[in-house]
Amino acid sequence: MTISIDPPKQSFRLSQLIYDTRYRSITIQVVTLCLVALGIIWLGYNASVNLTALGLEPNFSFLWNRAGYDINQTLIPYNNSDTHARAALIGILNTLLVAGLGCVTATLIGVIAGVLRLSKNWVVAKLMTVYVEGFRNVPLLLWIILIYAVMTEGTPSPRDFREGGTASMWLDSTVAVTNRGLYIPAPVWGPNSGFVVAVFILSIIGALFYRRYARKVLFDTGRLLPMVWPALLIAIIPAVLVFFILGRPIGLSYPELGGFNFAGGLQISNPLIALWVALSLYTGAFIAEIVRAGILAVSKGQSEAAFALGLRPNRTMSLVILPQAMRVIIPPLISQYLNLTKNSSLAIAVGYADVRATLGGITLNQTGRALECMLLIGLFYLAISLLISGVMNIYNNSMKLKER
Amino acid sequence: MNKTLFLGALTVASIAAAASSAATLDDVKARGKLNCGVTTGLPGFAAPDANGVWEGFDVAFCRAVAAAIFGDPTAVEFVPTTGETRFTALQSGEIDMLARNTTWTFSRDTDLKFDFTGVNYYDGQGFMVPKSLGVSSAKDLDGATVCIQTGTTTELNLADFFRSNNISYQPVPIQTNAEAQQQYLAGACDVYTTDASGLAATRATFEAPADHIILPEIISKEPLGPLVRHGDNAWGDIVMWTQNALVSAEELGITSANVEEMASAPTNNPEINRILGTEGDLGAMMGLSKDWGKNAILAGGNYGEIFEKNIGENTPIGLARGLNALWTEGGLQYSPPFR
C-alpha cells in the first residue's frame, strides 16, 4: 500500500469505491457480506413467522418424552420406555460405530489399493483400476443396497439351520452366516476378567516401549533388532499366562438356534455389515486415488537414491516414499473421513439405526417436530465433523515438513 | 459458490413464504386444481396404473373433493409422500389435503395442528407370516424378527404389544412398503407388520399369496382418514362433507349409475334432493356450486362403490367390509344428516 508513503493528492470520492482497484475488492466483499447477512436474517425471520402462524414454535421438550419404539442395535442399554433423547443417543453411537469402523477399513483398503495401483504387475494394477473406477463412479446408495441385497438373498435364513435344513454353521458350529447377520461367539466376562484385560493393556504398552527401544538401538548403533515378533510376543504372552493362572475367567457364549433366530453369541447385523462394507469400499476407492497422487508427488530421485543405498522395495516404500507422501495425502484424507461420516446417514436405506434413522426418522415422525430434529442432527454432524478435522489437523501438523 | 448458495436459499425461502395463506378454497380455485398428498404407491389405496393415472381408495376421495369443487374429477395433482414427508408437506401448504392411510391420533390432531375430516377406513395393525412358519397367533412370535415400515404408528403399537405380552422381538425398520416386501420375501424378517389393509394389499401382489397368512390378532385401532391443516375450517368442511356425501349416497342408494337421473329432477326423498342440489342450496353454504354433491358422487361412485372397486372382495386386495360397512348393516360408517 502506497497510501502512507505519498500523501493523497485529492480527497476521497465515493466513486473510488467502484473504480479504484485499491477499494473495489473491499467494496464487493462488504456488499456481499451485507446481502448474505440480510438473506440469512430474512430466512430466519420468515421461518419463525410462518411457524408461529401455524402455531408450531420451536420446542425441544419432546426429547424428554417416552420414545415408545424399539431399536435393533443398541450399544448401551435401551428399551422402549426410555426417552427420545436416549434413542437419539443410541443413534449417535451407532453412527459413530459405523463411521469409526468405516474410517479404519477405508484407510487400509485405500492405502493398499493406492499402492497396488502403481504396481509394475500389469494384472494387479489393472484390477485396482477396475476397483477404483467401479466404486468411485457409482452412487454410494446403490452400492449399499446392492451389497445388502446380495447378503440377504445370498445367505440362508435362520430356519434353514434347523435339523434337516440346507445350511450348517461354520468353524465347528461356532459361527453362523445368516441373512439377518453374522452370529459369532461372544465373550462372557467372569470375575477377575478385568485383571486379564488390565494385563493385556499393560503388555501392549510394554510392546510399544520395546519398539521405541529397538528404534533407539537402530539409530544409535545401526543394529537392526527384530521388531514384529518380539512386540507381538510381549503383547500376548503375559495376558495368556494370567488368563490361565486365574482359571480362564473369560468364557465364550456360542450362538445357538432357538425359536426364530439364533440366541446367544454376538450378532453383527446385516445392515451394519452392508453399510460398513459399502462405506469402506466406496471411500477406499477415493483414498486409493489420494494415496496414488501422494506417492507420485514424491520425486523419483528419492526412490532411486534409496535403491542406490541398497534398500529393498518394501523398505523404500515404508521408510522413504510413504512418509513423504503422507504430507500430500493427509489433508485430502481428512475430507474423505468427513465424507464417510456424513455418508453414513444413508443407513436408513438398509434399516440400520443411525442417528438419522432414530432422531431424524422415527422420533421425527412420532413427534412431528421436523425442524427441531433436523436442527439437532445438523448440529451433531457439524460437531462431529469439526472434531474429526480438529484431530486430523493435529496429526497433520505433527507430520508436516518441519523447516528448521 | 456463495452466490449459488444464496440463490438456492432464496428459492427455498420463497416457497416457504407462500405457505401461509388464509383461504385454501380460494387458492385451490385460483390454481385450477387440487393438490392431494397420497402414498408413494400402495396397491388398492393409491398407485399409478399402467398409464400413469393414479387410482385407488384414497385417490378416489381426492377425486371426489376435486369434483365437488371444479366438477372435474381429473383436476387433481397427486403428490406422492412418504411416511416422513407427509406432515411437512401438508403443514407447508405443498398439498391442500392428505389422503394417505393416516391414523387419526390425539397428538396429530392437536400438537401437529391438523384436522381429521372423518374416518374413511377403520383399520387395525396386523401381522403377516409365511404359512411354513407354523405360527397361528401373534403371541407365538417371541424372538421373531419383524419388518416395520418406519414413520408410522405401527412402531409404537408393536412395541406396546410385545411389551404387554412379555415377549421379545427384533425390529427391522424399513422405509417403504416395496422394500419391506422384498425383505420379507427374502426371509430377512419372519413377520411383516402394518395395517391389516396394507398387509392384504401387499399380499395381493405376491407371486403365491396363499403361502402367507395374516394372523388373527389386530393389535391396535387405526382409524384412517383424510386430513387438512388446522385453522381453515371452511376448507376442512368441504373435505368432511364431501366424504359424508359419499357415505350418505350409499345409504340412500345413490350410485354413479343413477346419480344423473336422480339429479335431473327432484325425487320424493328430500335428503337426496338436498345432497344433489335439486332442493335448497347446500353448496352455496360452503362456497361451492349447487351440484357439488352430484359431481362428487359421479367422480367414483358412493362410498360402497369406491370400496368395492378398489379394495373390495372382488379385487386382488380382497378386503371384507367388516367395520367399514354402513351403520345400518352393522358397521361404523355413519354420516351426519344433510340439512
Side-chain angles (χ1 to χ4, degrees), chain B residues 23 71 82 108 112 143 147 191 194 225 229 241 259-260 272 293 305:
Chain B
T82 67
R108 285 175 178 172
L112 296 187
C147 279
V191 192
T194 186
R229 274 184 301 281
W241 285 98
V259 61
E260 286 282 12
I272 294 180
E305 285 178 277

Side-chain angles (χ1 to χ4, degrees), chain B residues 39-92:
Chain B
T39 68
T40 50
L42 179 63
F45 285 87
D49 68 5
N51 302 318
V53 180
W54 283 86
E55 56 179 24
F57 186 74
D58 283 335
V59 167
F61 279 88
C62 298
R63 293 204 189 279
V65 172
I69 298 168
F70 299 111
D72 175 10
T74 61
V76 194
E77 172 90 18
F78 290 101
V79 181
T81 56
T82 67
E84 293 172 346
T85 58
R86 54 182 165 178
F87 296 130
T88 319
L90 185 57
Q91 272 164 348
S92 68

Side-chain angles (χ1 to χ4, degrees), chain A residues 141-164:
Chain A
L141 185 60
L142 295 186
W143 280 116
I144 296 177
I145 293 174
L146 178 71
I147 292 173
Y148 186 55
V150 167
M151 287 171 63
T152 44
E153 303 278 358
T155 48
S157 73
R159 69 185 89 121
D160 293 333
F161 286 84
R162 293 207 190 119
E163 294 284 321

Side-chain angles (χ1 to χ4, degrees), chain A residues 32 35-36 38-40 42-43 46 50 53-56 66-72 79-81 145 148-149 152-153 155 157-159 162 179-180 183 259-261 267 271 348-353 356-357 360-362 364-370, chain B residues 2 6 9-10 12-14 16-17 19-20 83-88 91-92 107-108 111-113 130 132-133 135 140-145 150-153 155-156 158-160 163 169-175 179 182-183 186-190 229:
Chain A
T32 313
L35 284 176
V36 170
L38 274 177
I40 292 171
W42 183 62
L43 278 175
N46 189 23
N50 274 321
L54 289 167
L56 291 168
R66 182 177 180 273
Y69 59 89
D70 288 290
I71 300 174
N72 51 6
N79 67 51
N80 57 42
S81 307
I145 293 174
Y148 186 55
T152 44
E153 303 278 358
T155 48
S157 73
R159 69 185 89 121
R162 293 207 190 119
N179 61 0
R180 292 173 195 169
Y183 292 84
F260 293 95
N261 286 316
Q267 185 198 5
I348 187 62
V350 288
Y352 180 74
R356 163 73 183 75
I362 308 178
L364 185 154
N365 267 298
Q366 302 303 352
T367 60
R369 297 275 170 196
Chain B
N2 258 344
F6 180 64
L10 261 183
V12 174
S14 40
S20 52
E84 293 172 346
T85 58
R86 54 182 165 178
F87 296 130
T88 319
Q91 272 164 348
S92 68
S107 63
R108 285 175 178 172
D111 192 31
L112 296 187
K113 314 283 178 198
S132 58
L133 215 54
V135 171
D140 300 338
L141 291 175
D142 192 10
T145 304
T150 184
T152 60
T153 46
E155 279 153 337
L156 305 188
L158 184 70
D160 289 351
R163 192 182 179 81
Y169 71 104
Q170 221 178 9
V172 179
I174 289 172
Q175 230 171 0
E179 276 174 57
Q182 188 257 328
Q183 291 298 314
C189 41
D190 301 304
R229 274 184 301 281

Side-chain angles (χ1 to χ4, degrees), chain B:
Chain B
M1 176 64 213
N2 258 344
K3 211 182 206 172
T4 335
L5 199 72
F6 180 64
L7 287 177
L10 261 183
T11 328
V12 174
S14 40
I15 292 168
S20 52
S21 53
T24 312
L25 180 60
D26 294 341
D27 291 349
V28 172
K29 278 184 172 165
R31 201 187 304 130
K33 62 179 194 236
L34 172 75
N35 288 344
C36 191
V38 290
T39 68
T40 50
L42 179 63
F45 285 87
D49 68 5
N51 302 318
V53 180
W54 283 86
E55 56 179 24
F57 186 74
D58 283 335
V59 167
F61 279 88
C62 298
R63 293 204 189 279
V65 172
I69 298 168
F70 299 111
D72 175 10
T74 61
V76 194
E77 172 90 18
F78 290 101
V79 181
T81 56
T82 67
E84 293 172 346
T85 58
R86 54 182 165 178
F87 296 130
T88 319
L90 185 57
Q91 272 164 348
S92 68
E94 190 189 341
I95 53 179
D96 304 309
M97 65 178 278
L98 180 68
R100 189 203 177 278
N101 313 71
T102 302
T103 307
W104 186 354
T105 68
F106 178 88
S107 63
R108 285 175 178 172
D109 207 329
T110 56
D111 192 31
L112 296 187
K113 314 283 178 198
F114 293 129
D115 278 339
F116 284 78
T117 57
V119 178
N120 65 9
Y121 191 91
Y122 288 94
D123 208 342
Q125 185 175 344
F127 297 98
M128 175 162 63
V129 294
K131 234 177 200 163
S132 58
L133 215 54
V135 171
S136 58
S137 159
K139 291 182 179 151
D140 300 338
L141 291 175
D142 192 10
T145 304
V146 184
C147 279
I148 331 160
Q149 204 185 330
T150 184
T152 60
T153 46
T154 49
E155 279 153 337
L156 305 188
N157 296 329
L158 184 70
D160 289 351
F161 175 77
F162 277 82
R163 192 182 179 81
S164 58
N165 283 297
N166 246 330
I167 50 180
S168 66
Y169 71 104
Q170 221 178 9
V172 179
I174 289 172
Q175 230 171 0
T176 66
N177 193 53
E179 276 174 57
Q181 183 176 331
Q182 188 257 328
Q183 291 298 314
Y184 171 75
L185 288 177
C189 41
D190 301 304
V191 192
Y192 179 37
T193 180
T194 186
D195 294 343
S197 62
L199 288 179
T202 307
R203 188 174 64 164
T205 63
F206 287 179
E207 262 175 52
D211 293 348
H212 302 269
I213 52 168
I214 294 171
L215 297 178
E217 280 91 348
I218 296 294
I219 64 167
S220 67
K221 285 191 287 188
E222 307 286 341
L224 310 180
L227 54 154
V228 295
R229 274 184 301 281
H230 184 86
D232 188 353
N233 298 19
W235 173 247
D237 287 345
I238 292 172
V239 179
M240 180 197 299
W241 285 98
T242 305
Q243 195 180 328
N244 286 336
L246 299 181
V247 174
S248 290
E250 186 183 9
E251 195 182 331
L252 299 168
I254 314 173
T255 66
S256 54
N258 66 15
V259 61
E260 286 282 12
E261 187 195 328
M262 282 185 167
S264 56
T267 63
N268 294 331
N269 186 332
E271 184 154 22
I272 294 180
N273 297 346
R274 284 194 293 269
I275 292 176
L276 298 181
T278 48
E279 184 186 312
D281 193 357
L282 295 187
M285 297 181 193
M286 300 196 292
L288 298 181
S289 64
K290 211 168 175 171
D291 57 355
W292 69 280
K294 184 196 90 178
N295 292 333
I297 296 164
L298 204 55
N302 61 37
Y303 180 83
E305 285 178 277
I306 292 173
F307 193 102
E308 291 307 332
K309 179 169 170 252
N310 295 296
I311 53 177
E313 277 173 330
N314 297 323
T315 64
I317 316 292
L319 291 169
R321 284 293 288 269
L323 287 177
N324 295 296
L326 290 179
W327 65 289
T328 48
E329 286 154 30
L332 291 174
Q333 289 295 347
Y334 182 100
S335 162
F338 280 77
R339 65 171 69 252

